[in-house]
Structures are given as C-alpha cells and as structure tokens.
C-alpha cells in the first residue's frame, strides 16, 4: 500500500555503544558504500574489523554459519553454504527476489520434503534469538523506520514502538509492532534475517497475511511499491460514497490477501462519508468554494482534510492514501 525506503542506508543497523567514535562512523560508511556498489565480497573482508560485532549484518552472518553447520541434510547444507550471505542479509529487495528464483527448488517449502523442518527450525531460532528476542538490536531495527508511524501494508494502524521508563506492575515496559516477513520464513527460512524481507507491521496485517506465499501469489512489497501502483476509487450515489474499491495497476493480490477493500468499506465508511459530505455539501451553491477547491495549497489541504498531501508523507498518519485519493476524485468531479 505505502512505499518504504529500501536504500543502502536503510539496510544497516547496529548497536549504539560506539556509534559516535570517528573510526566507527568511517567503518559504517564503508559498509554502506559496499552495499550501494553491491560489493558484497568487501563485507567479507570487513567482518574481522574490531567494530564488526556492533553491526547486525556481521552478528547475523556469524550465527548463521554456526546454524548451517548443524544441518544434517547434505543437499540443503551445500546449497546454503553456496549462498552469498552478505547479499542475503543486506541485498536489495530485487536481489532477494532473485535469490528466491535461484534457490527455491532446494531452499523453499514447496519443493523440500526431507528434513525441511530441521532447516526451518534452525533459521526460525536464529531469528528469535538474534533479532526478535534481542532487545538492543530490535530497537535499532525499528529505528530504521523512525519516519514510519503507520503500517505500510494497510495505512490504517499506528506501528510506533513504545519504550517506557518504568512499568506500573504487570504491564509490558516495552512494546513494539510486529516484525513482518514479506516472504514468509516458514516457506523461505534462509530469508529469516534478510533486512529487505523485514518490515514493521500492525498485528492485524501480520496475522491475516500469515504464511501466504507472496512470491507465488504476485504481491508487491512496500519496498517495491511506486507512486500510482494503487489507488482508491469511490462509487458515488446521492452525495454519498456507496462503495470503495482498491485498484491495482499491477494486478497484484495485496488487497485480496490483506482484505483491504473489505476493511475500508466496513470499518472506515463513516470517516469517508464525513469527508465527502463536508466537502460537497454546499458546493452547488458556492462557486467561490468550487474554484478554490481545485487549487488547494498543501497547507489548505491539511486544514481541510487533517492529513498529509504528499505521497512520501502517507506513512505518517492513518488513512492518508485513501483521503488523498478521495480528494483527487472530488477535484476531478468539480472540474467537469
């Protein structure tokens, strides 16, 4: 639904104990440059640096090698050993898809029968211990998405982590959104710690998407979504919005799998009609308003709709994408 930055800078996270040291900063920049240039072999030379143990990519790499050594199926083990693990861990989303295409016959659930559960369990355990259950690294992972307040899948629910200084009693001191695997780790275990396969998500989207094979089902990741890939379309009747459709220009199945169209119609219909009524109620009698509406400035838009105008800001507040598409449709009606 909403685009998320997958640049090289957003694929590197680390512990913070030494982050202000000049040599640490220099080392981090070298990692980022290597990722930008797809020079993953250089990361292999950097893994023995004194600062390497501060960075997720090197922490994960070391633990994965230990995990692979425990796999008993020789075919799976050999295939895993042949992977460029730095590409797996910090490669772009397009590179992750390429890795699936090249390795799915041996490393995905669809084709493996023998010993798949052992292989899956080892990588799920790695994910649980090294990221999901690692409070320090998990916090830094979510810091990569500090400009994202809303679930990138549905654009409905907030996904901000909560870090309380003190707990009251039985409450959780820390609470974070779900870490969602776009390509399920139950089908593609080797992508369990791949940064380009991980996103913050609301619990609803994570659970309803579950283990759907998004590679086979033609879904778009927020990492690859572009402006205009999705738009809301509104069926209007007697100054009311009767139905909301979510149209994909790429024929992907995101809306169907996440039940987004149904959710927007059943849960947000009153919000939609409140906006629609407020902006159309008096327009036949108010030529000045009609003329002004066609040329609303960004600040005017924010005052009228109480939401963000630019696509790059849609990740800051719920329902921003739908609100802007409704505005566009109303504007088009008024120009006719």
């Amino acid at each position: 639904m909403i685009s998320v930055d997958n640049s090289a800078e957003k694929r590197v996270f680390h512990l913070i104990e030494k982050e202000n040291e000049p040599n640490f900063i220099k080392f981090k920049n070298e990692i980022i440059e290597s990722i930008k240039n797809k020079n993953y072999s250089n990361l292999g030379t950097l893994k023995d640096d004194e600062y390497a143990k501060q960075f997720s990519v090197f922490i994960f790499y070391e633990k994965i090698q230990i995990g692979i050594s425990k796999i008993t199926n020789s075919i799976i083990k050999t295939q895993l050993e042949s992977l460029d693990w730095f590409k797996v861990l910090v490669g772009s989303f397009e590179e992750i898809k390429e890795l699936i295409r090249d390795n799915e016959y041996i490393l995905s659930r669809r084709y493996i029968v023998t010993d798949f559960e052992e292989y899956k369990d080892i990588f799920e355990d790695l994910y649980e211990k090294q990221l999901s259950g690692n409070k320090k690294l998990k916090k830094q992972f979510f810091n990569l998405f500090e400009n994202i307040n809303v679930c990138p899948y549905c654009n409905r629910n907030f996904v901000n982590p909560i870090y309380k200084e003190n707990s009251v009693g039985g409450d959780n001191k820390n609470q974070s959104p779900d870490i969602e695997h776009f390509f399920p780790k139950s089908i593609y275990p080797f992508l369990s710690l791949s940064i380009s396969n991980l996103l913050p998500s609301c619990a609803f989207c994570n659970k309803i998407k579950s283990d759907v094979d998004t590679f086979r089902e033609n879904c778009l990741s927020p990492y690859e979504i572009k402006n205009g890939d999705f738009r809301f379309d509104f069926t209007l009747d007697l100054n009311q919005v009767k139905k909301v459709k979510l149209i994909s220009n790429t024929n992907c199945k995101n809306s169907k799998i996440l039940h987004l169209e149904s959710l927007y119609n059943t849960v947000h219909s009153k919000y939609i009609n409140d906006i629609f009524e407020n902006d159309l109620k008096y327009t036949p009698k108010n030529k000045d308003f009609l003329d002004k509406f066609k040329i609303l400035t960004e600040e005017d838009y924010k005052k009228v709709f109480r939401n963000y105008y630019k696509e790059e800001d849609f990740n800051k507040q719920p329902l921003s994408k739908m609100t802007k598409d409704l505005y566009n449709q109303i504007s088009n009606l008024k120009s006719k």
Side-chain angles (χ1 to χ4, degrees):
M1 275 289 300
I2 302 299
S3 177
V4 176
D5 186 1
N6 190 223
S7 63
E9 291 83 358
K10 292 294 185 178
R11 287 180 251 154
V12 177
F13 63 104
H14 52 76
L15 301 173
I16 61 173
E17 286 84 353
K18 301 181 180 181
E19 66 177 357
N20 293 321
E21 296 180 12
N23 286 337
F24 181 98
I25 296 170
K26 182 179 178 181
F27 183 69
K28 179 178 179 178
N29 289 336
E30 187 170 358
I31 293 172
I32 292 172
E33 282 303 308
S34 296
I35 296 172
K36 281 182 179 178
N37 297 323
K38 300 183 179 182
N39 185 7
Y40 300 115
S41 61
N42 190 50
L43 295 180
T45 66
L46 297 177
K47 65 181 175 60
D48 297 319
D49 188 275
E50 62 174 311
Y51 291 110
K53 293 186 183 298
Q54 299 290 308
F55 286 82
S56 64
V57 59
F58 300 115
I59 295 170
F60 296 165
Y61 176 85
E62 180 181 347
K63 298 299 182 181
I64 285 170
Q65 302 313 305
I66 295 171
I68 292 173
S69 70
K70 298 176 182 178
I71 291 175
T72 56
N73 184 297
S74 61
I75 296 175
I76 297 174
K77 185 175 184 178
T78 299
Q79 190 71 13
L80 289 170
E81 289 173 338
S82 71
L83 292 178
D84 182 344
W85 276 101
F86 291 114
K87 179 189 285 190
V88 174
L89 290 170
V90 293
S92 68
F93 184 79
E94 286 302 319
E95 288 174 301
I96 295 300
K97 288 203 295 185
E98 180 184 329
L99 284 164
I100 291 178
R101 285 190 290 267
D102 292 344
N103 295 280
E104 61 179 328
Y105 288 98
I106 296 178
L107 297 181
S108 76
R109 178 181 285 280
R110 286 193 306 277
Y111 300 103
I112 301 177
V113 178
T114 306
D115 299 326
F116 180 85
E117 290 302 318
E118 178 198 54
Y119 151 54
K120 178 178 75 70
D121 289 346
I122 285 173
F123 275 85
E124 286 195 345
D125 185 63
L126 284 167
Y127 165 73
E128 292 294 334
K129 290 181 178 177
Q130 303 307 319
L131 182 54
S132 180
N134 185 327
K135 291 182 180 180
K136 289 184 177 180
L137 271 182
K138 188 178 184 180
K139 184 175 182 178
Q140 297 313 310
F141 168 80
F142 283 119
N143 283 345
L144 290 175
F145 307 96
E146 60 186 355
N147 65 329
I148 296 179
N149 298 328
V150 185
C151 176
Y153 286 101
C154 65
N155 195 225
R156 297 171 58 246
N157 300 312
F158 285 110
V159 291
N160 306 90
I162 298 171
Y163 305 108
K164 294 186 285 187
E165 292 184 8
N166 299 293
S167 60
V168 176
D171 58 323
N172 291 324
K173 188 173 181 181
N174 301 319
Q175 188 63 44
S176 63
D178 289 358
I179 298 178
E180 212 283 317
H181 291 76
F182 181 75
F183 299 121
K185 63 182 184 299
S186 60
I187 301 175
Y188 307 98
F190 73 102
L191 299 179
S192 294
L193 288 168
S194 300
I195 185 63
S196 293
N197 192 38
L198 303 174
L199 287 153
S201 163
C202 71
F204 183 89
C205 285
N206 194 17
K207 287 179 173 59
I208 201 168
K209 178 177 163 291
S210 189
D211 290 336
V212 171
D213 189 342
T214 44
F215 183 76
R216 285 293 160 195
E217 293 296 335
N218 188 32
C219 294
L220 282 181
S221 165
Y223 285 132
E224 60 181 337
I225 287 175
K226 300 179 180 63
N227 293 356
D229 281 345
F230 297 93
R231 68 177 175 87
F232 286 94
D233 184 78
F234 306 88
T235 301
L236 312 179
D237 181 34
L238 298 176
N239 282 359
Q240 277 193 324
V241 176
K242 289 294 186 182
K243 188 175 182 181
V244 180
K245 291 183 179 180
L246 186 55
I247 297 173
S248 167
N249 294 325
T250 60
N251 296 316
C252 71
K253 296 182 180 179
N254 291 46
S255 179
K256 181 179 179 181
I257 289 169
L258 295 168
H259 293 259
L260 293 180
E261 196 170 289
S262 173
L263 279 169
Y264 272 87
N265 275 287
T266 57
V267 179
H268 302 299
S269 58
K270 185 180 184 304
Y271 171 85
I272 296 168
N273 275 294
D274 284 347
I275 294 176
F276 186 72
E277 182 181 3
N278 289 342
D279 289 316
L280 285 184
K281 192 172 183 179
Y282 302 108
T283 53
K285 302 175 183 178
N286 193 335
K287 179 73 165 56
D288 291 338
F289 179 83
L290 276 169
D291 292 338
K292 290 177 181 177
F293 191 92
K294 296 175 191 176
I295 54 171
L296 283 183
T297 65
E298 182 177 344
E299 290 306 311
D300 289 337
Y301 176 92
K302 289 179 180 179
K303 291 176 183 177
V304 172
F305 292 100
R306 297 179 179 86
N307 221 314
Y308 287 93
Y309 182 86
K310 294 180 179 178
E311 185 115 13
E312 59 262 33
D313 293 326
F314 288 170
N315 51 31
K316 295 179 180 178
Q317 187 158 305
L319 307 179
S320 51
K321 167 66 175 169
M322 182 203 66
T323 302
K324 181 65 181 297
D325 285 350
L326 180 57
Y327 163 74
N328 287 338
Q329 188 161 335
I330 293 172
S331 297
N332 290 335
L333 284 174
K334 292 178 179 179
S335 65
K336 292 181 181 178

